[in-house]
Amino acid sequence: MAPPTSSASHIVTLLLKFFNFVLLFISLIVLTTNTATAYTEDLTFKVRFNGIYAYRYMLATNVFGVVYTLLQIAFSIFHITMGNHLISGDGGALLDFYGDKVISYLLATGAAAGFGVTVDLKATFDAIGLVIDKSFYEKAYASASLLLLAFICTAILSVISSYAVPKKV
């Protein structure tokens, strides 16, 4: 016997949240391990992600996304197993709706900051003759790309959560 449609949609939503968490977690790992050695004829130094403000913002949005997604996964599992909302009344649907909106905007701006600063750093470093390993840029692009994919997942979740608001409110 097939489960009711609402149970199936809750499971699909949970799977999408889990996929979102995986994207955010991998993005976080790639970003935080991104270091390289830069050098000119006279100077050699380490370039780390945390020395660049846009990457710090990207890290912050990533951490907010991970925490929010973990909470949403916990709430979804509770809802599926217990058959009711953790937050009674209309608050749960509204929390999902507005939370998904805020987090999706944060993830989008974090990804944009990552892409933008990487392009600017490469242009600036090339202009001043600073040589840096190409993998630094590739890892930065990879992390920003994963963050962008996480934004897309969160935006889809936001649309799904918007369907529940009229039913609950």
Side-chain angles (χ1 to χ4, degrees):
M1 183 170 173
T5 307
S6 62
S7 294
S9 67
H10 290 303
I11 291 171
V12 168
T13 302
L14 178 63
L15 290 175
L16 192 55
K17 289 175 183 178
F18 182 73
F19 181 64
N20 192 26
F21 171 75
V22 169
L23 289 171
L24 288 167
F25 190 70
I26 293 171
S27 173
L28 185 66
I29 290 171
V30 170
L31 179 64
T32 56
T33 59
N34 195 11
T35 61
T37 303
Y39 57 91
T40 62
E41 293 176 5
D42 303 325
L43 181 66
T44 301
F45 62 94
K46 277 281 205 197
V47 178
R48 292 181 179 87
F49 83 96
N50 60 353
I52 301 162
Y53 288 115
Y55 289 145
R56 288 185 194 177
Y57 177 75
M58 192 173 153
L59 175 70
T61 61
N62 210 326
V63 169
F64 283 133
V66 166
V67 170
Y68 177 76
T69 303
L70 280 176
L71 287 172
Q72 287 297 330
I73 289 171
F75 289 159
S76 293
I77 290 172
F78 181 83
H79 178 70
I80 290 170
T81 58
M82 301 305 258
N84 59 6
H85 289 286
L86 180 62
I87 299 172
S88 61
D90 305 333
L94 290 175
L95 178 66
D96 286 347
F97 177 70
Y98 290 115
D100 289 345
K101 297 281 186 239
V102 170
I103 294 299
S104 66
Y105 292 144
L106 282 174
L107 295 179
T109 59
F115 284 124
V117 75
T118 304
V119 169
D120 288 346
L121 278 177
K122 183 167 180 7
T124 303
F125 287 171
D126 289 347
I128 63 174
L130 191 64
V131 179
I132 190 168
D133 187 22
K134 191 171 111 175
S135 70
F136 180 81
Y137 302 119
E138 291 171 351
K139 286 180 181 178
Y141 282 133
S143 182
S145 297
L146 290 168
L147 198 57
L148 183 63
L149 289 173
F151 154 71
I152 292 169
C153 284
T154 307
I156 292 168
L157 286 166
S158 175
V159 170
I160 293 170
S161 68
S162 70
Y163 291 130
V165 172
K167 295 177 189 174
K168 301 290 181 185
V169 177

